[in-house]
């Protein structure tokens, strides 16, 4: 009995403390983590005060991380946020933005250029690619882009470090030569999207003059690519994303795209024209945060979620606090 | 959770002229509807302007291969499930084994209660990716309805008939083959049909572990926003499920003892 009262007191006390400490909080369905957003370098914004902003994201860890960065930053600026992160399929999120169901989500310059603006050939320079996307997307679709992050989340092929050493592989050209001389070891795990995209497998094999037999290509789910590439039974080479946290954790070597075939995918927040007109400050608030997101930072954030299994909201909140954006 | 599927109530044919004519009349609607749907889908895809991505999926070679993979996966699943669950169900209704039945259905329930995609990926960690892993997952997933219905179907056979059979000197085996099973067939096959329809749907997830099938088209269609690919994959999957269900209905009609018509 005594124990129980003590416990009750402890719980009640800590709840009160938590309530007192947190300015306001963001609750997310997928993580269940309740994080507090206090005062940091992000200032209250009068145009956002009490307004509800709908935040979306695509369906993979990194993009969900962006969604949570946006939600916590906007909460710190005084807005109410509605969580629509983790929408299946890239194009569906984009549709939601165009129709106004979602106010803001992060996309990638290369994706917009190739998938939404229908260009076959990417521009192999970050700033030029970004400028071209910003201009054309505003004219054609009334989508406004915020500043772009230095990180480049593009496709790559990865192989176990010890095998890369043994076979002396550093670039995709090395891999193309290797596939010619050792066809039985040139086995690949890819996800269906990569197999179907022009800027994926079909274009890459053409650009590097690779001939791979159909039965050396295994089509699996994204998560399975990493586990199988690590195991090395079904496939030696896996299609990965350059900012994925699992690359370093699984000790994989990413092969360099020496012919610059893969497009550049710099992430940036996007809003539709109407949102931009009413709440222009969304993009201004995010700008200093975007500048901090380079490959390494993203890889670490992704690793905490994918490898250590921490809730996204908590990972984002710790990082924003460490950088001083929120308190 | 019990998945006892009622055998469909058939219209009463007062003067059955011949078995086949009744069959035809009862089972013609479904193939006709499916043919119309398939034709409509084909014409719609034909009239669409296809890009590279769509052409990679919507060509005869690819379609034949994926449908073939899907059918193979489902057909093998059916054979294995009927063997495992049918045999198991017969054993579990014998007097000496009856006490085991709850354990067996509990075990089969586990296979069904696990989310299918999780089950497949989990199995792929143990058995590697590929066709046989997908098959194991599908079997685990579809065993329950057949097992449950076999047990229920056999147990619902009138005890008096069994006793009468024993009374005229039939062996227990003859009673099983000539009395119990024929009378249980409609219920058992209802379970098989349920399992098949489930299996066709779950087999779309095989694409996540390199076991092919129609799931690839559905995933590509969703991820790359190609309605033609998505709808074609979905229509083919549904058509396959309904075709198998229809086949099950026809077979069920043929196997039904004449006296029950």
């Amino acid at each position: 009995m005594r124990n129980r009262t003590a416990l009750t007191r402890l719980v009640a006390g800590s709840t009160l403390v938590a309530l007192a400490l947190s300015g306001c909080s963001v609750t997310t369905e997928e993580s269940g983590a309740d994080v507090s957003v206090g005062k940091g370098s992000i200032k209250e914004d009068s145009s956002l005060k009490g307004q509800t902003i709908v935040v979306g994201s695509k369906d993979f860890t990194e993009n969900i991380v962006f969604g949570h960065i946006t939600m916590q930053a906007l909460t710190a600026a005084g807005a109410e946020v509605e969580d629509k992160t983790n929408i299946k399929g890239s194009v569906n999120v984009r549709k939601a933005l165009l129709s106004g169901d979602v106010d803001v989500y992060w996309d990638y310059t290369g994706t917009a250029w190739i998938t939404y603006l229908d260009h076959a050939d990417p521009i192999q320079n970050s700033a030029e690619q970004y400028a071209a996307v910003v201009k054309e997307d505003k004219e054609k679709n009334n989508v406004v882009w915020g500043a772009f992050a230095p990180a480049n989340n593009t496709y790559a092929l990865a192989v176990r470090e010890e095998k890369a050493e043994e076979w002396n592989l550093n670039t995709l050209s090395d891999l193309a030569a290797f596939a010619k001389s050792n066809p039985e070891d040139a086995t690949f795990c890819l996800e269906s999207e990569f197999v179907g995209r022009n800027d994926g497998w079909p274009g890459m094999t053409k650009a590097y003059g690779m001939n791979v037999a159909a039965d050396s290509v295994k089509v699996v789910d994204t998560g399975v690519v990493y586990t199988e590439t690590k195991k090395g039974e079904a496939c030696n080479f896996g299609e990965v994303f350059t900012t994925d946290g699992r690359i370093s954790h699984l000790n994989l070597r990413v092969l360099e795209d020496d012919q610059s075939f893969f497009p550049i995918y710099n992430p940036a927040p996007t809003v539709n024209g109407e949102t931009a007109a009413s709440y222009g400050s969304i993009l201004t608030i995010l700008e200093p945060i975007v500048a901090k997101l380079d490959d390494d930072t993203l890889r670490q954030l992704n690793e905490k979620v994918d490898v250590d299994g921490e809730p996204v909201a908590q990972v984002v909140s710790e990082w924003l606090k460490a950088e001083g954006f929120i308190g | 959770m019990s998945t006892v599927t009622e055998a469909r109530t058939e219209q009463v044919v007062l003067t059955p002229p011949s078995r086949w004519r009744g069959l035809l009349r009862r089972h013609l609607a479904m193939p006709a509807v499916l043919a119309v749907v398939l034709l409509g889908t084909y014409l719609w895809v034909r009239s669409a302007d296809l890009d590279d991505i769509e052409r990679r999926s919507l060509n005869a070679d690819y379609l034949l291969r994926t449908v073939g993979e899907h059918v193979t996966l489902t057909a093998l699943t059916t054979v294995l499930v009927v063997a495992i669950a049918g045999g198991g169900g017969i054993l579990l209704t014998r007097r000496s084994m009856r006490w085991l039945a709850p354990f067996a259905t509990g075990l089969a329930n586990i296979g069904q209660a696990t989310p299918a995609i999780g089950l497949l990926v989990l199995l792929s960690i143990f058995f590697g990716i590929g066709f046989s892993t997908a098959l194991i997952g599908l079997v685990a997933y579809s065993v329950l309805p057949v097992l449950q219905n076999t047990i229920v179907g056999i147990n619902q056979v009138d005890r008096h008939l069994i006793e009468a059979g024993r009374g005229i000197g039939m062996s227990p085996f003859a009673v099983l083959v000539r009395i119990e099973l024929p009378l249980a067939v409609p219920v058992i096959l209802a379970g098989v049909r349920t399992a098949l329809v489930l299996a066709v749907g779950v087999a779309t997830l095989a694409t996540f572990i390199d076991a092919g099938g129609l799931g690839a088209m559905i995933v590509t269609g969703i991820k790359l926003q190609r309605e033609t690919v998505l709808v074609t994959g979905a229509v083919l999957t549904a058509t396959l499920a309904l075709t198998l269900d229809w086949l099950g209905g026809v077979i069920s009609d043929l196997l039904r003892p004449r006296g029950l018509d």
Side-chain angles (χ1 to χ4, degrees), chain A residues 267-285:
Chain A
T270 62
V271 295
N272 65 42
E274 279 166 47
T275 309
S278 335
Y279 311 115
S281 48
I282 292 178
L283 297 177
T284 337
I285 289 165

Side-chain angles (χ1 to χ4, degrees), chain B residues 154-163 179 183:
Chain B
I154 293 176
N155 283 342
Q156 50 104 47
V157 174
D158 194 340
R159 309 297 317 158
H160 298 109
L161 293 174
I162 295 172
E163 277 162 28
I179 299 174
L183 289 173

Side-chain angles (χ1 to χ4, degrees), chain A residues 1-326:
Chain A
M1 200 67 214
R2 233 191 93 227
N3 283 346
R4 238 179 88 183
T5 22
L7 188 68
T8 318
R9 250 191 241 141
L10 190 70
V11 171
S14 54
T15 315
L16 276 176
V17 171
L19 281 174
L21 283 181
S22 65
C24 26
S25 64
V26 183
T27 317
T28 57
E29 47 185 329
E30 58 90 32
S31 60
D34 207 355
V35 294
S36 65
V37 178
K39 293 277 160 286
S41 60
I42 297 175
K43 297 282 163 278
E44 283 251 322
D45 186 289
S46 54
S47 69
L48 291 172
K49 189 98 189 95
Q51 301 294 331
T52 302
I53 307 293
V54 184
V55 180
S57 88
K58 305 185 187 196
D59 55 2
F60 50 93
T61 301
E62 174 175 297
N63 211 270
I64 298 171
V65 165
F66 293 148
H68 281 263
I69 287 176
T70 311
M71 287 194 287
Q72 292 181 25
L74 293 179
T75 307
E80 300 286 318
V81 292
E82 189 183 327
D83 182 353
K84 283 207 179 161
T85 53
N86 200 357
I87 298 173
K88 267 274 167 232
S90 297
V91 189
N92 294 325
V93 198
R94 167 85 176 184
K95 272 193 172 164
L97 183 86
L98 294 179
S99 69
D101 291 342
V102 160
D103 288 315
V104 53
Y105 86 98
W106 295 45
D107 216 316
Y108 302 83
T109 50
T111 310
W113 187 249
I114 292 157
T115 313
Y116 312 143
L117 301 169
D118 277 336
H119 293 277
D121 300 312
I123 302 174
Q124 292 292 359
N125 169 305
S126 279
E128 287 170 26
Q129 176 70 88
Y130 172 77
V133 167
V134 168
K135 183 169 172 291
E136 198 170 319
D137 214 9
K138 180 80 184 89
E139 285 166 8
K140 277 191 177 165
N141 310 305
N142 197 19
V143 169
V144 179
W145 285 68
F148 73 92
N152 175 18
N153 179 6
T154 189
Y155 289 118
L157 287 177
V159 55
R160 306 194 293 292
E161 184 61 49
E162 63 270 22
K163 285 291 174 191
E165 204 56 50
E166 179 187 330
W167 293 328
N168 193 15
L169 300 171
N170 292 303
T171 64
L172 287 178
S173 295
D174 296 348
L175 173 59
F178 176 82
K180 258 200 196 76
S181 55
N182 306 46
E184 68 286 350
D185 286 323
T187 47
F188 298 84
C189 280
L190 317 171
E191 25 155 37
S192 63
E193 180 163 352
F194 185 73
V195 175
R197 285 173 70 141
N198 289 0
D199 56 336
W201 183 251
M204 187 204 89
T205 46
K206 205 150 90 198
Y208 283 93
M210 282 168 71
N211 273 322
V212 178
D215 59 358
S216 299
V217 175
K218 319 272 183 235
V219 181
V220 293
D221 194 31
T222 319
V224 181
V225 169
Y226 289 88
T227 47
E228 289 299 323
T229 308
K230 181 65 197 169
K231 266 204 272 183
E233 287 163 13
C235 54
N236 285 314
F237 300 90
E239 165 236 338
V240 299
F241 296 103
T242 44
T243 50
D244 198 291
R246 288 167 286 195
I247 295 174
S248 51
H249 173 76
L250 297 173
N251 196 16
L252 302 175
R253 181 185 293 184
V254 174
L255 301 176
E256 192 203 330
D257 177 20
D258 51 319
Q259 303 271 352
S260 299
F261 165 75
F262 290 122
I264 298 170
Y265 295 90
N266 295 121
T270 62
V271 295
N272 65 42
E274 279 166 47
T275 309
S278 335
Y279 311 115
S281 48
I282 292 178
L283 297 177
T284 337
I285 289 165
L286 290 172
E287 205 160 325
I289 306 178
V290 170
K292 293 268 186 212
L293 292 167
D294 54 18
D295 280 348
D296 277 341
T297 307
L298 261 187
R299 232 175 260 153
Q300 282 158 16
L301 294 175
N302 291 336
E303 186 169 0
K304 280 191 178 130
V305 177
D306 282 335
V307 178
D308 308 339
E310 293 178 32
V312 180
Q314 183 190 319
V315 171
V316 166
S317 152
E318 282 166 5
W319 180 73
L320 287 175
K321 281 173 184 161
E323 295 288 344
F325 291 116
I326 61 174

Side-chain angles (χ1 to χ4, degrees), chain B residues 118-179:
Chain B
L119 183 69
L120 285 180
V121 173
L122 204 63
L123 288 171
S124 78
I125 291 171
F126 294 115
F127 301 114
I129 53 174
F131 185 85
S132 43
T133 306
L135 193 62
I136 296 170
L138 277 173
V139 169
Y141 208 76
S142 353
V143 146
L144 182 70
V146 186
L147 185 67
Q148 194 86 354
N149 280 42
T150 309
I151 293 174
V152 170
I154 293 176
N155 283 342
Q156 50 104 47
V157 174
D158 194 340
R159 309 297 317 158
H160 298 109
L161 293 174
I162 295 172
E163 277 162 28
R166 299 287 291 141
I168 59 169
M170 279 184 170
S171 69
F173 181 74
V175 169
L176 172 71
V177 175
R178 294 175 59 187
I179 299 174

Side-chain angles (χ1 to χ4, degrees), chain B residues 205-222:
Chain B
L205 299 174
T207 181
F208 291 130
I209 56 168
D210 191 48
L214 289 163
M217 290 178 75
I218 295 177
V219 174
T220 304
I222 292 174

